[in-house]
Amino acid sequence: MFMKVGGELNTGITSKEAILKVCRDIVASKGLTEVNMRSVADKSQIALGTLYNYFDNKDELLLAVVEDIWKDIFHMDSRCSAEQSFPKYVEYFFGCVQAGAKHYPGFFTAHSITIANSEKAKSTMGNYFRHMKESMLEVLKADSTVSVDAFSTSFERSDFIDFVLNNILMLLVQGEKSCDMLIEIIQRTIY
């Protein structure tokens, strides 16, 4: 889309992906709370009405931004492999989220508030967390060094994944620099 601005032709951003990139830049430099329809339209150099062609409202925009940042966090480092051991995968996972926390300061706190205020956001992020858990479960199942009697009907792999993910998030909220203790617990539990 081209707009005339002050006698010059302005080539504003016109794809949803480009708009989300602008939003990620805003979150990285100023925080999630600075993302609103006007700031995104201004930074994208498009009319506010054009932005509404992509997002019906601020909540929809924020939900898309949060989901896009999660995707970005897990694509920052491509060292993950389903063939690696589960503890190595957990270290990779922790590292990705930790790098994301550095790149997007305050994201996790603001993200929690955003989710708490919207049922649609809770549902969407629930799906995204489910996807993360499924990836962890896949790696756990593929780890041939896991003891055959590590899990039972009262202690299932899915319960263990919930425990690991919850502890990763807790370590990050607490500002821990490593997940060494969690890795030790994992190793003592499954090997």
Side-chain angles (χ1 to χ4, degrees):
M1 169 170 291
F2 298 102
M3 301 179 299
K4 278 283 207 183
V5 178
E8 296 178 27
L9 195 57
N10 183 354
T11 55
I13 295 172
T14 58
S15 75
K16 190 172 191 173
E17 294 77 23
I19 291 168
L20 289 172
K21 165 74 171 88
V22 166
C23 292
R24 286 194 315 269
D25 292 344
I26 292 170
V27 174
S29 64
K30 297 179 180 176
L32 186 62
T33 57
E34 294 299 313
V35 174
N36 60 61
M37 299 301 273
R38 174 126 348 254
S39 69
V40 172
D42 290 347
K43 187 96 168 156
S44 300
Q45 298 179 329
I46 60 175
L48 187 57
T50 301
L51 185 59
Y52 279 102
N53 290 331
Y54 294 97
F55 303 98
D56 290 338
N57 54 49
K58 180 182 174 183
D59 289 341
E60 189 177 302
L61 173 66
L62 286 173
L63 182 59
V65 172
V66 166
E67 188 172 5
D68 196 53
I69 288 174
W70 274 110
K71 288 177 187 174
D72 187 49
I73 286 171
F74 287 102
H75 291 97
M76 288 180 166
D77 186 345
S78 59
R79 294 176 297 156
C80 178
S81 165
E83 288 92 42
Q84 65 189 199
S85 72
F86 184 71
K88 287 287 182 201
Y89 180 78
V90 170
E91 286 178 320
Y92 157 78
F93 189 95
F94 181 83
C96 284
V97 179
Q98 192 174 46
K102 282 183 186 170
H103 188 74
Y104 300 106
F107 169 70
F108 295 108
T109 305
H111 158 266
S112 299
I113 293 166
T114 301
I115 288 177
N117 293 328
S118 165
E119 287 304 315
K120 185 176 179 182
K122 286 179 190 176
S123 173
T124 300
M125 291 317 300
N127 289 336
Y128 202 76
F129 277 102
R130 199 169 10 268
H131 174 70
M132 287 188 273
K133 289 178 183 181
E134 288 169 2
S135 296
M136 290 181 116
L137 186 58
E138 180 182 320
V139 175
L140 179 62
K141 287 179 178 178
D143 187 343
S144 61
T145 60
V146 173
S147 173
V148 292
D149 59 350
F151 299 100
S152 66
T153 55
S154 61
F155 182 59
E156 296 180 3
R157 284 177 178 83
S158 60
D159 298 326
F160 185 63
I161 295 300
D162 287 341
F163 169 82
V164 170
L165 184 58
N166 288 338
N167 277 277
I168 288 171
L169 296 175
M170 185 174 58
L171 288 170
L172 291 162
V173 167
Q174 292 174 348
E176 295 294 327
K177 302 293 184 222
S178 81
C179 62
D180 292 345
M181 184 178 284
L182 178 61
I183 296 301
E184 182 72 22
I185 292 168
I186 290 168
Q187 290 172 334
R188 289 176 183 240
T189 303
I190 66 175
Y191 296 129

